[in-house]
Amino acid sequence: MPAAKKKPVDKFTFGLWTVGWQARDPFGDATRRALDPVEIVENLAKLGAYGVTFHDDDLIPFGSDDKARRKHVDRFKKALAATGMKVPMATTNLFTHPVFKDGAFTSNDRDVRRFALRKVMRNLDLAAELGAETYVFWGGREGAEYDGAKDVRVALDRFREAMNTLTGYCKERGIAIRFALEPKPNEPRGDILLPTIGHALAFIETLEHKEMVGLNPEVGHEQMAGLNFVHGIAQALWHGKLFHIDLNGQRGIKYDQDLVFGHGDLVSAFFLVDLLESAGYAGPRHFDYKPSRTEDLDGVWQSAAANMRMYRLLRERAAAFRADREVQQAMKQARIPELAQPTLKKGETIAQLLADKSAYETFDADKAGAGGSGYVRLQQLAVEHLMGAR
Amino acid sequence: MPAAKKKPVDKFTFGLWTVGWQARDPFGDATRRALDPVEIVENLAKLGAYGVTFHDDDLIPFGSDDKARRKHVDRFKKALAATGMKVPMATTNLFTHPVFKDGAFTSNDRDVRRFALRKVMRNLDLAAELGAETYVFWGGREGAEYDGAKDVRVALDRFREAMNTLTGYCKERGIAIRFALEPKPNEPRGDILLPTIGHALAFIETLEHKEMVGLNPEVGHEQMAGLNFVHGIAQALWHGKLFHIDLNGQRGIKYDQDLVFGHGDLVSAFFLVDLLESAGYAGPRHFDYKPSRTEDLDGVWQSAAANMRMYRLLRERAAAFRADREVQQAMKQARIPELAQPTLKKGETIAQLLADKSAYETFDADKAGAGGSGYVRLQQLAVEHLMGAR
Amino acid sequence: MPAAKKKPVDKFTFGLWTVGWQARDPFGDATRRALDPVEIVENLAKLGAYGVTFHDDDLIPFGSDDKARRKHVDRFKKALAATGMKVPMATTNLFTHPVFKDGAFTSNDRDVRRFALRKVMRNLDLAAELGAETYVFWGGREGAEYDGAKDVRVALDRFREAMNTLTGYCKERGIAIRFALEPKPNEPRGDILLPTIGHALAFIETLEHKEMVGLNPEVGHEQMAGLNFVHGIAQALWHGKLFHIDLNGQRGIKYDQDLVFGHGDLVSAFFLVDLLESAGYAGPRHFDYKPSRTEDLDGVWQSAAANMRMYRLLRERAAAFRADREVQQAMKQARIPELAQPTLKKGETIAQLLADKSAYETFDADKAGAGGSGYVRLQQLAVEHLMGAR
Amino acid sequence: MPAAKKKPVDKFTFGLWTVGWQARDPFGDATRRALDPVEIVENLAKLGAYGVTFHDDDLIPFGSDDKARRKHVDRFKKALAATGMKVPMATTNLFTHPVFKDGAFTSNDRDVRRFALRKVMRNLDLAAELGAETYVFWGGREGAEYDGAKDVRVALDRFREAMNTLTGYCKERGIAIRFALEPKPNEPRGDILLPTIGHALAFIETLEHKEMVGLNPEVGHEQMAGLNFVHGIAQALWHGKLFHIDLNGQRGIKYDQDLVFGHGDLVSAFFLVDLLESAGYAGPRHFDYKPSRTEDLDGVWQSAAANMRMYRLLRERAAAFRADREVQQAMKQARIPELAQPTLKKGETIAQLLADKSAYETFDADKAGAGGSGYVRLQQLAVEHLMGAR
């Protein structure tokens, strides 16, 4: 792998656990061999990726001693240096080992909670060493199957305590990293705490160093609750909290599919890329997907490439959509720009609004209700751009 | 209706639009006649309800002039006085008239937004006159069918502007009322803004007078997104934002059913009542349900009574569950009380946590992961209490 | 409207109730005026549609006497003759009037059941008069909200009795028409009988004249149960029962959205058109959609045109997909043609299969399990064709 | 374990894979040790179960030679003899090994299909040896993630070929066993063939020995599609095809939860038991559940007992519901018995129905539509019986 490789234009990143997934599912054994992290780094670099991300246990097997740990890390760093690949994000595995079966930060067992904090701290050091800018928290085991099993209010106290302790750790250590919570409604727990973008945003507001904490929303996770992912990302951006994003595909409300980005709800993917690009989101486009269990290793690398290809195609189509005069006119007809205009006049007082008879007393509701927005035509224009049909 | 009627023990309330629903649905015409608000007040009083709630248009037909309005209000007040019924909550109809077809506070049409603000202000005056403590905002039309139709970030700006204007109005007028946002994921819009408890909680944090604004979550609305309502209420309580609650029943992810409370997910209803009672929630138990379209007026009143009966039964069963020694022991075995214990010792520093070898270096994860929580047995105990089988 | 209009190439049809929908929804009043059936026929003809379909009550208001009925029918026929529009399908409104609130063929009230049969018979005569080839049965009110309300086994007896009576009626009258059942899982009832394509196919097998009865599946109805519509249509075709089809769009598991075809799950729409075209489905492409409530009449006609445009675009893309050599090779690599090869050799007996050691004793399962199908790459090729990106 | 143990009254059965589940899930490792089939038989016998069921690979590890196989079988038979436990059902594991990753009977790879047939045949011999009356087919891998990956019509051809071959095998060998198909909509495949009770019922009608083939519906599987399980079972009974049943619990549309029976939708479980008991279903009550991952072995056995306890409790409550005079009266008021009355008079011809003016011409639809069914009150009575509150 030549070091002179030209720098990727796009910040496309992949988790070690994505292409490295061995395709063990609830009803089936692994269909692919384990991949060495170095092999993954090299292959993704060849495909033109910008970087990789990892859980501690992806890189360093659970229970490794310090010496083994260092060896794993050094090999990985060497591969990164050789390929120019970055590590913009890291995270902790707080879900595979049985010790986390009832949660990590919110396990009823206090010793497990302390262990979880220490496990994160240890990997935060490594994340810092590798130059990661974002540290993701997916609390997949923080939840319950039964409403009597967990006092959610108390669990949120512990979750907050954990986040405060960990931001405190970074402050003390001088680790310049931002935290990103990744919501999910269920699976593997019957119900997971902070199940959606909204719940996590609200939780963040209660934290000590809330400015350090944002979100890492995942396409499929919101869609597993039937929620509109584009709306969710828009709200996250509105709160200034889109720190990172997990792109993938999901086909409706069911188990977590982790398909290639765009292989799920394609129209939603189009509008998502449109939003990310027009909002100037500057972070990595992180593909948190799983190559289907039917694929061999060739299929794995093809699927990785497909994610990047999909993003680029959608970006191109979204740009053409925005540039189309007919689209702009349709947006104007639908009064979309008018929504940016404040409802009250600049400096208008409540007394003035009350005095404005045109706002209420003489307002002709029937007439105002008779107009058409032409949203269906606008949607048709969008789909035609998506299809390259204009 | 004698004025001397004894005061209801429980704060059970009903919207005029609930028992008054004429059973018009997307595929069918009304099956019941319109009910006079006075008739509703009298009947609910007879059934032992504590109060009624209303949308402006439930009481005063849209477009009524001041004189007609006053007449409607006065008749209503007379019925309240005669029966002792309270009006703890009021709200605005910002969804029936075509003028609101693209939203009220977030309509792309600025004139509609101004009209909506004025419509709310007018009804806030009446709410104050009737002694309402809570004013609900269900933004059923604030949303879109198509992602290109609405810039959600800009829409949230307008939503915030509306809330700030309206809290400002109350401050100026000296109206002592609290606002409660009611989230819903979809229907009648394809996707509604602030779709869940979480999204609304996050939004509130951005408001000028956020202390005045909380939530009015509805059982079925969260369940329409497959979310755990008990968890949602617990988080709302944790944020100090459960200002009001809409109780009803829903059978899974589908259209909004508004069944009688407990006629949907019964186990969830049991744990909800358990939570409300043990958390000391003091607000109204508001039934926002619809008597099925197959019912005549007898069925309407029977269904109203069924809601109250269900709540009382569930409260009784939840109390017995909490009082059962075997349950308490099962909770202890599941270490539920241990979750209330902070993860760090009182005053423990990060340095001390790092120095505690028992927290990480010598922690036996395999051993800690081998124990059982007995959650299934605890759930079985809960279900048996719910069934009156212990 | 000149009679000389050239005959439409495609069998695109629309229900009177689709473009004619006044946009009354569970929370809102009509936003559009009623359209005259003649106006609809003329406008759809201008847009290039092949025909229209109708419920009895769309054309002839419920309760009209014979004279009024004839007048409505004659005006309609005149418009058909003038425009060359066909009526390939008709159906009965057994859901709007309160009399059907507990079902029509399965109402617990026997008089309602008899009335329903007669209402259908009357409209069957008209369907025959107008040359309809298919008569659709959507049993939207055949169902229940509560499991105790309806003995489903007995209800299926009555449903069967109704279908047998009605096929008998056609036989006796010499009406050459085929029946098509339209399944839906819920809405307006909590649960509807024969909720999916599968349930309806099974039911048909129990009918007296089962050869006369097939299906009219609707995109959104199956997707409301999270089911794969393409799979459903494939099974319906396999049973020889795809008599008619309702095309529209739905965005996940929620209320029935009836969006424009392709404005829901676009990838599924692509594979649906691919299937219909490659299976040689010769019936109408019937758009059973609703122009969004935000649209005025211009928007209504634009949305009607959008349906046809979507079908044509998708057909073109599907054809290109099938014709692409790389796609054909990917299909071969995925062994898709091999599935058409019977598992047993021609004439192979069970004894011979048992004697074939290569089938079991010497079969190397690990080796056979190691290969990759390349399905992800094939899906990527499909999406690129859909996007016009190859 | 004494052989003299008194015979269980109820036909409660459990799969070896249920209590034996090691709690490996998509995000976590096993939390419990493997259980020996003999240990399972003994423990379930102690708890009062009637029998056990098994997949071939539960009893005999995949790839065992004949000698090892015999040894496993003999130990198992000895335990059965000692405990008096029956084996009323057996099935094949056609999903765990990677060889089945693209299906078994419908794998695109013909060799895999042949292997699958042989694997089933081998286990059919054992099922016969153990006296099983039912042989279950859950086609969990028969499906696809992508619509281009599988021609469903051709796949159904292969599925049918497999079923015909296997019923042929039983006929030839004189194995007196009935087949029961177990539908599931998705997981582990994105979409599974024959996704619901309905689809499977329809498929059966196309089989050579269709009288030998029925269903084994599972509570959670239908509920994963949002379908009403009680309705589904009623239709299966109506077709005479309820050969076996899998009881468990599911909390809405999400991944397959396999909770204890009654720990999901309790009201539905009540009406299910009511239906099974009143329909005289005589087969096993088979619990196909998974003890939650948080449980140790004590919890496993407690959860097994909870399933049986739930069924008995629900049966008792359903009986009381049926016996209650007020319930009977409410049913009569709702005209539920009237639905059993044919719509046409005995021997009534179509001509006579047409001549009956009371059926149409003089029928007062408005009056008939005004009555109330009282279904809500009936539901309330049911819930109160379920809660032991009457």
Side-chain angles (χ1 to χ4, degrees), chain B residues 253-271:
Chain B
I253 304 179
K254 55 177 73 166
Y255 72 96
D256 190 11
Q257 295 194 281
D258 287 336
L259 303 171
V260 164
F261 180 56
H263 287 193
D265 183 337
L266 183 58
V267 178
S268 174
F270 168 81
F271 281 113

Side-chain angles (χ1 to χ4, degrees), chain A residues 125-148:
Chain A
D125 294 345
L126 178 56
E129 179 182 342
L130 297 174
E133 293 150 10
T134 307
Y135 201 86
V136 164
F137 292 83
W138 173 60
R141 297 277 175 206
E142 320 290 0
E145 285 68 43
Y146 311 105
D147 292 349

Side-chain angles (χ1 to χ4, degrees), chain A residues 2 4 34 38 126 132 182 261 273 307 309 312 386:
Chain A
V38 169
L126 178 56
E182 179 176 329
F261 179 57
V273 171
N307 280 291
R309 167 88 168 137
R312 287 192 181 109
L386 168 56

Side-chain angles (χ1 to χ4, degrees), chain D residues 1-2 5-6 8 12 14 38-52 79-80 82-86 301 308:
Chain D
M1 182 69 32
K5 198 172 176 310
K6 77 168 194 289
F12 293 140
F14 291 85
V38 170
E39 186 181 359
I40 294 175
V41 169
E42 289 173 353
N43 274 287
L44 288 174
K46 272 187 219 155
L47 292 171
Y50 170 84
V52 286
L80 295 170
T83 56
M85 291 275 279
K86 306 293 180 202
W301 303 117
M308 298 187 281

Side-chain angles (χ1 to χ4, degrees), chain C residues 307-321:
Chain C
N307 280 290
M308 297 187 282
R309 167 87 168 137
M310 283 307 303
Y311 193 94
R312 287 190 182 110
L313 273 175
L314 290 166
R315 182 173 54 196
E316 175 191 308
R317 300 299 161 83
F321 170 68

Side-chain angles (χ1 to χ4, degrees), chain B residues 67-342:
Chain B
K67 200 176 142 192
R69 188 170 187 270
R70 179 44 51 192
K71 203 178 129 191
H72 287 295
V73 171
D74 288 345
R75 284 189 69 236
F76 187 57
K77 287 175 80 171
K78 209 171 134 189
L80 294 171
T83 57
M85 291 275 279
K86 306 294 181 201
V87 180
M89 182 269 270
T91 183
T92 330
N93 184 326
L94 297 172
F95 45 88
T96 299
H97 192 282
V99 75
F100 300 123
K101 65 188 173 190
D102 185 43
F105 301 150
T106 67
S107 171
N108 285 352
D109 183 337
R110 183 169 167 270
D111 291 340
V112 174
R113 302 199 295 268
R114 291 174 69 83
F115 176 66
L117 286 177
R118 289 287 306 276
K119 193 168 191 289
V120 176
M121 288 172 178
R122 198 172 201 219
N123 202 43
L124 274 167
D125 293 345
L126 178 56
E129 179 182 343
L130 296 174
E133 292 149 9
T134 307
Y135 201 86
V136 163
F137 293 83
W138 172 61
R141 297 277 174 206
E142 319 291 1
E145 285 67 44
Y146 310 105
D147 291 350
K150 195 72 66 176
D151 183 332
V152 168
R153 292 166 298 161
V154 172
L156 291 173
D157 282 342
R158 294 291 80 72
F159 213 145
R160 177 167 52 190
E161 184 188 5
M163 298 311 296
N164 288 344
T165 304
L166 293 167
T167 50
Y169 178 80
C170 291
K171 293 263 178 194
E172 274 193 34
R173 292 263 165 155
I175 299 177
I177 205 163
R178 295 199 304 178
F179 289 4
L181 300 176
E182 179 176 330
K184 191 178 182 187
N186 62 74
E187 199 211 49
R189 301 308 299 270
D191 294 290
I192 298 178
L193 300 179
L194 309 180
T196 76
I197 286 175
H199 296 77
L201 284 171
F203 172 76
I204 290 168
E205 286 303 312
T206 71
L207 300 179
E208 221 169 291
H209 298 294
K210 61 182 175 186
E211 73 290 350
M212 277 179 66
V213 187
L215 293 190
N216 176 46
E218 178 169 321
V219 173
H221 292 182
E222 302 299 310
Q223 293 180 347
M224 287 170 73
L227 297 175
N228 184 314
F229 190 67
V230 179
H231 281 205
I233 293 302
Q235 186 168 351
L237 285 163
W238 188 72
H239 287 271
K241 289 298 188 190
L242 188 70
F243 284 10
H244 200 264
I245 192 164
D246 275 0
L247 301 174
N248 61 18
Q250 175 76 13
R251 296 184 69 78
I253 304 179
K254 55 177 73 166
Y255 72 96
D256 190 11
Q257 295 194 281
D258 287 336
L259 303 171
V260 164
F261 180 56
H263 287 193
D265 183 337
L266 183 58
V267 178
S268 174
F270 168 81
F271 281 113
L272 175 63
V273 172
D274 176 58
L275 175 62
L276 292 175
E277 296 296 322
S278 62
Y281 168 74
R285 273 67 175 166
H286 183 247
F287 300 108
D288 188 1
Y289 86 113
K290 290 195 176 79
S292 294
R293 193 169 175 269
T294 51
E295 304 300 300
D296 61 12
L297 287 181
D298 280 353
V300 166
W301 303 118
Q302 284 165 353
S303 70
N307 279 291
M308 297 186 282
R309 167 87 167 137
M310 284 306 303
Y311 193 94
R312 287 191 181 109
L313 273 174
L314 290 166
R315 183 173 55 195
E316 176 192 307
R317 298 300 161 81
F321 170 68
R322 290 280 157 190
D324 182 339
R325 282 286 173 86
E326 205 173 323
V327 168
Q328 289 160 6
Q329 211 162 6
M331 287 187 161
K332 211 171 153 188
Q333 189 206 312
R335 298 175 182 246
I336 289 173
E338 192 176 321
L339 188 57
Q341 202 180 329

Side-chain angles (χ1 to χ4, degrees), chain C residues 16-292:
Chain C
L16 288 182
W17 68 93
T18 62
V19 289
W21 186 55
Q22 288 189 256
R24 192 173 287 114
D25 76 15
F27 297 93
D29 288 341
T31 68
R32 292 190 291 263
R33 68 171 171 87
L35 293 184
D36 181 333
V38 169
E39 185 181 359
I40 294 175
V41 168
E42 290 173 353
N43 275 286
L44 288 175
K46 272 187 219 155
L47 292 171
Y50 170 82
V52 285
T53 66
F54 69 97
H55 298 91
D56 48 359
D57 301 347
D58 299 334
L59 196 56
I60 309 142
F62 185 94
S64 296
D65 63 19
D66 284 353
K67 201 175 140 190
R69 187 172 188 269
R70 179 43 51 191
K71 204 179 128 191
H72 288 295
V73 171
D74 288 346
R75 284 189 69 234
F76 186 57
K77 288 174 78 170
K78 210 170 134 188
L80 295 170
T83 56
M85 291 276 279
K86 306 293 180 202
V87 179
M89 183 270 270
T91 183
T92 329
N93 184 325
L94 297 172
F95 46 87
T96 299
H97 192 281
V99 76
F100 300 124
K101 65 188 172 190
D102 185 42
F105 300 151
T106 67
S107 170
N108 285 351
D109 182 338
R110 184 170 167 270
D111 292 339
V112 173
R113 301 198 296 268
R114 291 174 68 84
F115 176 67
L117 286 177
R118 288 289 305 277
K119 192 169 191 290
V120 176
M121 287 171 178
R122 197 172 202 221
N123 202 44
L124 274 167
D125 293 345
L126 178 56
E129 179 182 342
L130 296 175
E133 293 150 10
T134 307
Y135 201 86
V136 163
F137 293 83
W138 172 61
R141 296 277 175 208
E142 319 290 1
E145 284 68 43
Y146 311 105
D147 292 349
K150 195 73 67 175
D151 183 332
V152 168
R153 292 165 299 161
V154 173
L156 291 173
D157 283 342
R158 293 292 80 72
F159 213 144
R160 177 166 54 191
E161 184 189 5
M163 298 311 297
N164 288 344
T165 304
L166 293 167
T167 50
Y169 177 80
C170 290
K171 293 263 177 194
E172 275 193 35
R173 292 264 165 153
I175 299 176
I177 205 162
R178 297 197 302 177
F179 289 4
L181 301 176
E182 179 176 330
K184 190 178 182 186
N186 62 73
E187 199 209 49
R189 301 307 299 270
D191 295 289
I192 298 178
L193 299 179
L194 309 180
T196 76
I197 286 175
H199 296 78
L201 284 171
F203 172 75
I204 290 169
E205 286 303 311
T206 71
L207 300 178
E208 222 168 288
H209 298 293
K210 62 182 175 187
E211 72 291 350
M212 276 179 65
V213 187
L215 292 190
N216 176 46
E218 177 169 322
V219 173
H221 292 182
E222 302 299 309
Q223 293 180 347
M224 286 169 73
L227 296 176
N228 184 313
F229 190 67
V230 179
H231 281 206
I233 291 303
Q235 186 167 352
L237 285 164
W238 187 72
H239 287 272
K241 289 298 189 191
L242 187 70
F243 285 11
H244 200 264
I245 192 164
D246 275 0
L247 301 174
N248 61 19
Q250 175 76 14
R251 295 184 69 80
I253 304 178
K254 54 177 73 166
Y255 73 95
D256 190 10
Q257 294 194 281
D258 288 335
L259 303 171
V260 163
F261 180 57
H263 287 193
D265 183 337
L266 183 60
V267 178
S268 175
F270 168 82
F271 281 112
L272 175 64
V273 172
D274 175 58
L275 176 62
L276 291 175
E277 296 296 321
S278 62
Y281 168 74
R285 273 67 175 166
H286 183 246
F287 300 107
D288 189 0
Y289 86 112
K290 290 195 176 80
S292 295

